[in-house]
Amino acid sequence: MRRLFFICFLICPLFAFSGTKTNVINAVRIKPLADTLVLLQADGSKVHIVCSGNFVLSYCETIDGYTVVVDAIGMYEYAKRGRKGDLIAVGMQAKDDNKRTPEEMRYLKKVPKHLRYTGETLKLFEDKQKRMEEAPAIIKRDKKTP
C-alpha cells in the first residue's frame, strides 16, 4: 500500500490536464518533488520522510537528513553507500529523531547525511534519463479535438 501511494505521488502530476486543448506531457520534465510524508512502518510505527526527485531518480530522507531506502519487506531503513555507488539498507529501521535509541544515535553519528547515488549506479540513472528525454513526448488529446 505504501509503495502504491508513493508511486501515485510521483506519477499524479503527469495527469494534470486542463481544458480541451491538446496536452503534451514529458515525464522527465516535471519539477522535482519535495514533500514530507508520514509513513507507516511494517511494525505499526510512523516515520516522517522527505522525498524528492523526479520520475527517474528520487531520494527519501528522514527529517534530519539521513537517507532511507525500502528493504525487501517494505520497511524503511537507513541507507549506506554500496560498492558501485548504490544505496543499500543497513538493517536498522528508520525512526524520527525523537524516537531513536542511544545505540541508534551512536550509529548515525558515523553515517553521512544526504547520501546520493554515485559511480556506476548514477551513470545508469543518467543514461535512463537521457533515453527518456530523447523519446517522443506522450500526447493526450480530448475526444472533441479532431
Side-chain angles (χ1 to χ4, degrees):
M1 184 67 171
R2 287 178 289 174
R3 287 185 188 169
L4 177 62
F5 174 78
F6 189 68
I7 290 169
C8 289
F9 183 74
L10 289 176
I11 295 177
C12 283
L14 299 176
F15 299 103
F17 303 119
S18 62
T20 59
K21 299 177 182 175
T22 300
N23 296 292
V24 178
I25 304 164
N26 192 329
V28 295
R29 297 200 192 285
I30 60 175
K31 289 185 178 182
L33 305 171
D35 281 318
T36 302
L37 304 172
V38 180
L39 300 174
L40 190 63
Q41 295 275 44
D43 68 352
S45 64
K46 294 179 182 177
V47 63
H48 291 77
I49 302 291
V50 178
C51 297
S52 62
N54 63 21
F55 190 72
V56 176
L57 180 62
S58 61
Y59 299 97
C60 292
E61 298 178 343
T62 59
I63 298 294
D64 55 344
Y66 292 102
T67 306
V68 297
V69 294
V70 180
D71 69 4
I73 62 167
M75 184 79 73
Y76 287 84
E77 295 186 357
Y78 298 108
K80 69 176 181 179
R81 192 176 319 281
R83 290 185 193 164
K84 297 181 180 183
D86 53 340
L87 299 174
I88 55 176
V90 299
M92 185 180 292
Q93 178 181 338
K95 295 179 183 174
D96 290 338
D97 59 348
N98 61 344
K99 296 185 179 172
R100 293 181 188 138
T101 65
E103 178 186 328
E104 291 168 337
M105 293 189 318
R106 277 192 301 276
Y107 174 78
L108 290 173
K109 284 182 181 179
K110 303 174 196 172
V111 176
K113 293 183 178 184
H114 311 293
L115 291 174
R116 298 294 183 253
Y117 294 105
T118 59
E120 292 177 35
T121 304
L122 181 59
K123 176 130 177 58
L124 290 172
F125 282 118
E126 288 171 343
D127 291 346
K128 184 175 183 179
Q129 179 86 27
K130 187 176 179 182
R131 285 192 310 274
M132 290 183 76
E133 287 174 352
E134 292 170 353
I138 301 168
I139 299 176
K140 167 77 173 156
R141 296 177 191 252
D142 289 337
K143 293 178 182 178
K144 296 177 184 178
T145 306

